[in-house]
C-alpha cells in the first residue's frame, strides 16, 4: 500500500477512483441475465455515486447532489423548448458561484482550498456536461421529453425519473468522466443483461498499466525538475526551454493518467463498448478522452485542440461553437475559461490558445501550398511539430499556474517567444475562411 501511495501521493482523486473499481466489476457481473433486474441496476449506479460523493467530498457532496436533484426536477417539469435554457442557466450559475468562492478564498483570504471542495467542484463541472448534453438532446428532439407524457422504452417497473437520476450520478463517471450521452448510458445499462459483451479484461488491464506507467514517469520527471531547480548554475536559453517543456509534459501526463483511469473504470462497469472489429475483437474505446500518440505527434495546433480532452471538445463544439453566429472560435475558448473557473491564468491561457489556433489556420493555409519537395514538407512538419509542442507547453503552464504574477514570470522566459510568433502571424497574415465542420 505504501508503494501505491508513493506513486499516487499527489492525486487522492485517483485513489478514490481506484477504490470504485471493485464495485464497477460487481455491477458488470450482477448485470448479467438472471442476476438483478433493470431497476436495481439503476439503483446500484445511483447509490454508488452517492456513496462515492460522500466518501470523496465529505460535506461538500451537497455541491453535487443538490443540482443533480434540481436538474431531474427541471427535466420532468419543463417542456422540451425550455429545458436547455433553464438547465444551462441554473447549472452554470451554481458552478460559477463555487468557482468564485474558491477564488475568493485563494486570492482574497489567502487560504488554501480544501481538497474535498476541489474534488466536489471538479465533479460539478462533469455534472454540468452531462445535464446540458441531456437537455440539448431533449430540445433537439433526439430524446423524448419526460414532460410530454410519451411512453418511455424502459419497463413499467422503472420510475421515469430514475434513469435520469442514475445518469447524472453514476459512479464510474462521477470523478473523471468521460462524457457519455444519455442514450449510450441507457443502452448499456438495459442491454448488459441481454447481449453482454465479452468482459474487457485486456483493455482494462492495458489502461490500468498505462496509468501506473504514467504516474511512475511523472515521478522521474519530478525528480529531474527538482534537481534542475536546485542547481546553482542558471540554465541556458535552450536549457530553460527544455525545462519549461518538461514541466508542461508533467502536467500533460497528469491529464493522460486521469483520463485513462476514468476510461478503464467505465469499461470495468461495461460502459464504452462500441461493437466488434472486422476480426471479431470487442472494441472498448467508445468512451475515450485522448489518443496520447496522436496528440504528442500532432504537427498542427488546431488538430491538437480537437483531440485534447475529446469528449469535452465535442461538448463545447456542440454547446457553443456551432451556435455562435460571430467569432465562434473565440467564444468557445472564452466559455471554456468560464467553465474551468475563470482564474486569471485560465482566461489568458484559453484566449491565447484561441489566438494561436486561428494563427495556425492562417500559417498552414499560406505555407502548405508553397512546399514542393518531400524534403521541404518533412522539414516543415518537423518545425511545425516543435512549434505545436512549445505553444501547447505555454498554454498548459499558463492555465495551471493561474495567478498573473506566475504567468508574468513564465512569459519572461525564452519559451514565451513561441506563442508570440503565432500572435505576430495573426496580425500579418490575412484571415482564412474555414467552415465550422472543420473546427
Amino acid at each position: 500500500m505504501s508503494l501505491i501511495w508513493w506513486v499516487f501521493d499527489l492525486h487522492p482523486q485517483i485513489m478514490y477512483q481506484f477504490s470504485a473499481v471493485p464495485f464497477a466489476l460487481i455491477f458488470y457481473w450482477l448485470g448479467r441475465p438472471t442476476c438483478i433486474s433493470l431497476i436495481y441496476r439503476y439503483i446500484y449506479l445511483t447509490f454508488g455515486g452517492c456513496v462515492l460523493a460522500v466518501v470523496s467530498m465529505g460535506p461538500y457532496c451537497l455541491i453535487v447532489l443538490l443540482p443533480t436533484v434540481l436538474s431531474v426536477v427541471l427535466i420532468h417539469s419543463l417542456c422540451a423548448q425550455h429545458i436547455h435554457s433553464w438547465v444551462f442557466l441554473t447549472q452554470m450559475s451554481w458552478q460559477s458561484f463555487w468557482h468564485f468562492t474558491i477564488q475568493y478564498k485563494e486570492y482574497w483570504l489567502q487560504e488554501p482550498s480544501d481538497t474535498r471542495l476541489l474534488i466536489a467542484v471538479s465533479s460539478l463541472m462533469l455534472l454540468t456536461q452531462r445535464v446540458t448534453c441531456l437537455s440539448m438532446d431533449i430540445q433537439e428532439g433526439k430524446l423524448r421529453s419526460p414532460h410530454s407524457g410519451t411512453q418511455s422504452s424502459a419497463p413499467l417497473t422503472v420510475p421515469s425519473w430514475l434513469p435520469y437520476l442514475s445518469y447524472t450520478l453514476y459512479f464510474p463517471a462521477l470523478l473523471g468522466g468521460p462524457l457519455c450521452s444519455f442514450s449510450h448510458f441507457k443502452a448499456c445499462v438495459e442491454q448488459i443483461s441481454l447481449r453482454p459483451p465479452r468482459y474487457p479484461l485486456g483493455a482494462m488491464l492495458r489502461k490500468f498499466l498505462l496509468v501506473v506507467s504514467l504516474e511512475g514517469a511523472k515521478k522521474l520527471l519530478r525528480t529531474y525538475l527538482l534537481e534542475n531547480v536546485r542547481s546553482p548554475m542558471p540554465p541556458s536559453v535552450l536549457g530553460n526551454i527544455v525545462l519549461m517543456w518538461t514541466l508542461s509534459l508533467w502536467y500533460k501526463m497528469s491529464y493522460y493518467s486521469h483520463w485513462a483511469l476514468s476510461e478503464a473504470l467505465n469499461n470495468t462497469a461495461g460502459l464504452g463498448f462500441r461493437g466488434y472489429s472486422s476480426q471479431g475483437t470487442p472494441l472498448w474505446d467508445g468512451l475515450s478522452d485522448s489518443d496520447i500518440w496522436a496528440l504528442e505527434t500532432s504537427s498542427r495546433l488546431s488538430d491538437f485542440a480537437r483531440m485534447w480532452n475529446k469528449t469535452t471538445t465535442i461538448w463545447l463544439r456542440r454547446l457553443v461553437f456551432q451556435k455562435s453566429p460571430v467569432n465562434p472560435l473565440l467564444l468557445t475558448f472564452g466559455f471554456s475559461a468560464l467553465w474551468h473557473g475563470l482564474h486569471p491564468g485560465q482566461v489568458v491561457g484559453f484566449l491565447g490558445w484561441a489566438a494561436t489556433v486561428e494563427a495556425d489556420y492562417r500559417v498552414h493555409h499560406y505555407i502548405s501550398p508553397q512546399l514542393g519537395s518531400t524534403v521541404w514538407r518533412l522539414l516543415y512538419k518537423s518545425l511545425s511539430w516543435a512549434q505545436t509542442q512549445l505553444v501547447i507547453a505555454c498554454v498548459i503552464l499558463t492555465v495551471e499556474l493561474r495567478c498573473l504574477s506566475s504567468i508574468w514570470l513564465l512569459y519572461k522566459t525564452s519559451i514565451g517567444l513561441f506563442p508570440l510568433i503565432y500572435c505576430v502571424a495573426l496580425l500579418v497574415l490575412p484571415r482564412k475562411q474555414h467552415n465550422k465542420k472543420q473546427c
Side-chain angles (χ1 to χ4, degrees), residues 29-63:
W29 289 105
L30 289 181
R32 295 185 304 167
T34 71
C35 287
I36 59 173
S37 62
L38 179 59
I39 187 171
Y40 290 112
R41 273 174 258 154
Y42 282 125
I43 291 173
Y44 184 95
L45 290 170
T46 308
F47 181 72
C50 292
V51 171
L52 184 59
V54 171
V55 170
S56 62
M57 305 169 199
Y60 296 113
C61 66
L62 293 175
I63 294 175

Side-chain angles (χ1 to χ4, degrees), residues 312-333:
T312 297
T313 300
I314 294 171
W315 172 70
L316 287 170
R317 185 185 301 132
R318 183 184 177 194
L319 181 70
V320 183
F321 190 88
Q322 294 177 347
K323 296 181 179 179
S324 303
V326 292
N327 292 325
L329 189 67
L330 183 64
L331 289 176
T332 302
F333 279 94

Side-chain angles (χ1 to χ4, degrees), residues 66-79 83 86-87 131 146-147 161 164-165 168:
L66 290 177
T68 296
V69 175
L70 178 60
S71 65
V72 174
V73 170
L74 289 175
I75 287 169
H76 274 74
S77 306
L78 300 172
C79 60
I83 282 178
W86 278 96
V87 168
V131 296
H147 182 71
W161 52 267
Y164 298 99
L165 184 64
T168 54

Side-chain angles (χ1 to χ4, degrees), residues 176-348:
L179 177 60
C180 167
S181 70
F182 178 75
S183 302
H184 180 86
F185 167 78
K186 190 177 178 185
C188 286
V189 175
E190 292 180 357
Q191 295 176 14
I192 195 172
S193 64
L194 303 175
R195 297 183 298 275
R198 191 189 314 161
Y199 190 69
L201 183 61
M204 186 181 72
L205 290 177
R206 281 195 301 272
K207 289 174 183 178
F208 283 138
L209 181 61
L210 175 61
V211 173
V212 174
S213 302
L214 286 169
E215 292 295 327
K218 280 174 57 185
K219 286 289 180 181
L220 297 177
L221 286 181
R222 186 185 180 191
T223 303
Y224 167 77
L225 289 167
L226 289 176
E227 286 178 355
N228 277 271
V229 168
R230 292 166 182 164
S231 173
M233 296 294 293
S236 62
V237 172
L238 181 59
N240 195 289
I241 293 173
V242 171
L243 197 63
M244 293 296 102
W245 176 82
T246 305
L247 180 58
S248 74
L249 182 61
W250 185 90
Y251 279 117
K252 283 193 286 185
M253 284 184 173
S254 299
Y255 286 109
Y256 295 151
S257 174
H258 180 59
W259 294 336
L261 179 56
S262 301
E263 293 166 25
L265 183 56
N266 278 269
N267 291 163
T268 305
L271 297 164
F273 176 70
R274 68 175 183 91
Y276 294 89
S277 67
S278 54
Q279 291 79 27
T281 308
L283 302 173
W284 286 96
D285 56 352
L287 294 176
S288 178
D289 267 328
S290 68
D291 180 340
I292 299 176
W293 176 256
L295 278 166
E296 293 303 321
T297 57
S298 173
S299 59
R300 292 286 304 270
L301 195 60
S302 50
D303 290 342
F304 190 99
R306 277 192 291 268
M307 294 185 291
W308 177 262
N309 200 356
K310 203 179 302 180
T311 58
T312 297
T313 300
I314 294 171
W315 172 70
L316 287 170
R317 185 185 301 132
R318 183 184 177 194
L319 181 70
V320 183
F321 190 88
Q322 294 177 347
K323 296 181 179 179
S324 303
V326 292
N327 292 325
L329 189 67
L330 183 64
L331 289 176
T332 302
F333 279 94
F335 177 79
S336 183
L338 173 63
W339 179 70
H340 278 86
L342 220 60
H343 287 267
Q346 292 169 340
V347 176
V348 174

